[in-house]
Amino acid sequence: MKTKEIREKFLNFFKNKDHLVLPSYSLIPQDDPTLLLIGAGMAPLKPYFTGEKKPPHPRVTTCQKCVRTPDIERVGKTARHATFFEMLGNFSFGDYFKEEAIQWAWELVTEVYHLPEKKLYVSVYQEDDEAYDIWHKIMGLPESKIFRLGKEDNFWEIGQGPCGPCSEIYYDLGFEFGCGRPDCQVGCDCDRFVEIWNLVFTQFNCDSGGSYLPLSQKNIDTGAGLERMAMALQNVPTFYEIDIIKPILDYFVRLTGVRYGENSREDISLRILTEHLRSLTFMVVDGIQPSNEGRGYVLRRMIRRAVRHGRLLGLEDLFLFEAVPMICEVMGDVYQELKEREDYIVKVVQLEEERFRETLEQGLTMLSTYLIDLQRDGEKELPGDVAFKLYDTFGFPLDLTREILEEKGLGVDEKGFKVQLELQRERARSAREKMDAGEAKANLEPFKDQRVEFIGFDTLETKSRIAAIYNGDVIVDKAEEGQEVTLILDKTPFYAESGGQVGDQGTITTESALVEIQDTKLGTYDLFLHRARVIRGEIYTGEKVKALVDSNKRGLICRNHTVTHLLHRALKEVLGEHVNQAGSLVAPQRLRFDFTHFASLSQDEVKKIEEIVNKHIWKNLKVDTQETTLQAARESGAMALFEGKYEDKVRMVSIDNYSLELCGGTHVKHTGDIGLFKILSESGIGTGLRRIEALSGPGAYHYLSEKEEILTRGSVALKTKEENFLPRLETLIQSYNEMVKENQNLRSKLASQKVDELLDKAVQVKGVPVLAAQVNVTEMEQLRSMADQLKDKMGSGVVVLGSVKGEKVLLVAAVTADLVKKGLHAGKIVGEAAKQTGGGGGGRPDMAQAGGKEKDKLPSALKQAAVMVEKLMV
């Protein structure tokens, strides 16, 4: 059975059991700081398990792409460890529980997939008698087929959030794949018994303190590894040999010329290349960029680990990026974004591969030197500061250094490395976390069932009721004049900050009170939080109020938001389809748009993008919004942030036939309402990331008006017409440059004449001609030139020149070669002279310069030259 069929049969089976089929979420977790990457099918669904959000259906099934890295160092060494995998899962949110989950899992495995029961075993949590009895008494499995395991194996949790006991289904590959021990059984760490499905009975919520609190509803969360299921159904001993992975392994076998299965060390490298290529491809397509922090560092580790193992197999040139199309071809029928973004993925991997190649050889050379020293001194551990230098300077992730050392039977001081890493983070760390008063989950818990009706797409004014007032973190009954509070309304026209669009401002009024709404945020449980200041009067919980959005600011925001959609499309037209939104800010005064691209934009590209956007503004295209299903939106070709998380019902914004995007923000009705668009700047903000800052509507007009005023004032100053401003300015600049050049020539001639006059001022000190004089030049370069000329004309001697520039003292000393051999040193001479003027300096024995702050002391400083020559000629 092919992998595609296994995936389809699973989803269709549960669809027929009244489950809603949802597409895979991004690998980037949304609104979940406890996770770095999505590592399980249930991870994106946590808000449904906790009751924080209402699920689109009480039963859901997915095939979720996942990345886990705790076992990254075992990848390639075993038959079952992987960083990237697809997790088939069925989920119940307070609907069915253990009995149905177990019955359906067994039905699918034995009656749909037709796996032989004699090869199947199950495990349960050691304290879960209920699950044991279901398997034994209801499903009829003999006790010899059921194993009780401890918390490490059969209790599922992933950070904070929903968790509970679990029951696993295992497939027996056969005695020949085991460890050979007579007591080998389910739970053994060898490759014989492969876990193919994990049924999690989510009953608890793990809080930040590590306590397990019963959930208000019992849930089901299951995960069946697609690749492991394929191993069983395709009767292969490792997942490297299933139909969607073996072509990749074969590709690297052909590329390296290495025969698979003949050398254990080479096999490990081939498997690492195969496995990591899948992971890094899916991470990049979801918008992750290589970096030294967070999930970007995970990606960087994989790319660099793969590059190093390619090198071990003889691949000295760049090779990894060229393998990306293989993944896109194999997996593109299921994950269409792979084919759509293939060029982008290739470029990201190529750039990172090139970066690492630049420092790889240097890093390996440095590490080899340290290895020789360690082995010579009988040491067994690389110092932590050295490991950190390899990481910080040469881009070696710690696990890569550790792996290289392990191959030599050595270790690394990881504690020392972490100390150095933390010191660096402390130096670079900025306060990135902020917590809004009254927004903590515990504070909003009393209102988790409060449903706020948002009507701000259709109207900017409504009558509403105050559902809650927060003074800081405390719920209060009223707020008085001068107080700053957070309000929850039962109905609101205020848009809450989301998707880059800032929150609305405006007012709330009663017959006796006026409240200024300063900002609107979206809190936990989808509650709209209105940051407010009571201007006059008092307001009370339960009181009816009139809510009014500031229509001027909303209009400016709408213009800026719609124009970001036009900009997104224009960027793709000019730069290529690899361009995708990576972030934005839509405020009344300005807009910011971050996007994926690999080089700075030329002036011509910026101009072309700006022209395309304005052209579509002036066409006055209609802007339509409609609600539809996520699947329908994708089928229609709507653009979406691939790291975004969408509900099944989505809002689609279309601008005629030009732009189609999923977006929950507010927009103008026609593009002509925008008026004008102007790009202010384009810059880089990270690897493969660019940023455009721009203005639209009144903001763009006022900006251009200010520029026109500057042009007008400049033309008046130059006594010319505006259309002649640039030619006139260029003529003046040319004239100025010619005058500067002529002035420099005259100064040089004067300096040459001065040189001849100065030669007569030389005095003899112990038989050495010493010339120390103050000259009238203002630049150090002129001073050095004069000193050189004097030294050449003297043939043998010491020259010390000083001058005054503003309030500063400039000093230069020069010594001929014959006197340098006798011990004279220009740096020491000029340094001692500079001390007399409250300064310092130094340099080479033959030429040195210095500076000072006390210009009145220059004559005494110059006298010091003769004193120093006398001392040095002893």
Side-chain angles (χ1 to χ4, degrees), residues 564-856:
T564 62
H565 288 221
L566 295 174
L567 175 60
H568 194 182
R569 186 66 253 168
L571 285 164
K572 285 179 175 287
E573 279 189 50
V574 175
L575 304 178
E577 287 297 323
H578 67 275
V579 169
N580 282 291
Q581 181 176 347
S584 67
L585 171 68
V586 180
Q589 305 84 2
R590 65 192 178 99
L591 66 95
R592 185 179 71 217
F593 191 83
D594 300 339
F595 59 98
T596 54
H597 190 54
F598 313 101
S600 60
L601 274 60
S602 67
Q603 288 185 348
D604 287 342
E605 287 173 328
V606 171
K607 184 179 179 181
K608 189 174 181 181
I609 290 164
E610 196 173 78
E611 287 177 349
I612 290 172
V613 172
N614 279 308
K615 179 179 71 174
H616 287 89
I617 289 173
W618 301 329
K619 283 183 178 180
N620 199 29
L621 302 174
K622 188 177 181 182
V623 181
D624 281 323
T625 59
Q626 68 175 104
E627 277 200 355
T628 183
T629 65
L630 179 60
Q631 186 62 31
R634 288 190 170 184
E635 289 173 357
S636 68
M639 285 193 293
L641 292 176
F642 268 77
E643 66 270 25
K645 182 172 74 176
Y646 299 96
E647 306 297 336
D648 187 50
K649 288 288 184 182
V650 295
R651 192 162 176 268
M652 192 162 60
V653 178
S654 61
I655 303 177
D656 199 63
N657 292 321
Y658 183 65
S659 169
L660 187 63
E661 293 194 35
L662 300 188
C663 178
T666 61
H667 292 271
V668 299
K669 299 297 182 184
H670 293 84
T671 58
D673 299 339
I674 298 168
L676 185 65
F677 173 70
K678 181 63 185 173
I679 294 176
L680 300 182
S681 65
E682 187 276 335
S683 60
I685 57 171
T687 305
L689 290 175
R690 309 296 301 176
R691 170 171 290 171
I692 281 178
E693 303 212 34
L695 301 170
S696 75
Y701 165 75
H702 290 307
Y703 172 81
L704 293 174
S705 180
E706 289 172 2
K707 293 296 183 185
E708 185 181 29
E709 175 65 18
I710 293 171
L711 175 61
T712 301
R713 290 169 60 188
S715 300
V716 170
L718 295 180
K719 298 179 181 179
T720 187
K721 295 180 180 180
E722 289 181 9
E723 58 266 30
N724 295 328
F725 175 80
L726 190 57
R728 175 68 174 150
L729 181 61
E730 289 172 343
T731 300
L732 286 173
I733 291 172
Q734 184 178 354
S735 298
Y736 172 78
N737 289 335
E738 289 173 354
M739 290 172 60
V740 169
K741 187 175 181 180
E742 184 178 353
N743 186 38
Q744 288 174 339
N745 290 335
L746 287 171
R747 283 177 178 273
S748 296
K749 289 179 181 179
L750 288 171
S752 296
Q753 293 174 7
K754 189 71 174 175
V755 164
D756 293 332
E757 295 175 10
L758 289 172
L759 285 172
D760 296 334
K761 296 183 178 182
V763 297
Q764 294 290 322
V765 178
K766 289 193 172 182
V768 174
V770 177
L771 172 58
Q774 181 174 345
V775 295
N776 187 27
V777 298
T778 58
E779 300 298 331
M780 184 64 80
E781 186 177 345
Q782 293 175 322
L783 208 60
R784 287 198 302 266
S785 177
M786 287 184 70
D788 270 334
Q789 291 181 54
L790 286 164
K791 186 176 71 168
D792 290 343
K793 289 193 175 186
M794 289 174 71
S796 176
V798 175
V799 179
V800 180
L801 300 179
S803 68
V804 175
K805 181 180 182 181
E807 297 299 316
K808 295 181 180 180
V809 174
L810 305 180
L811 287 163
V812 165
V815 179
T816 55
D818 61 315
L819 296 176
V820 170
K821 293 178 181 178
K822 293 182 178 181
L824 293 184
H825 194 291
K828 293 178 181 179
I829 295 171
V830 80
E832 194 62 32
K835 288 180 183 178
Q836 302 297 313
T837 64
R844 303 191 314 268
D846 61 327
M847 174 69 78
Q849 65 186 50
K853 297 175 286 187
E854 300 174 45
K855 62 181 181 180
D856 294 338

Side-chain angles (χ1 to χ4, degrees), residues 535-546:
I535 304 301
R536 69 167 184 268
E538 298 177 346
I539 54 173
Y540 301 87
T541 301
E543 187 175 14
K544 291 185 177 179
V545 297
K546 177 182 176 182

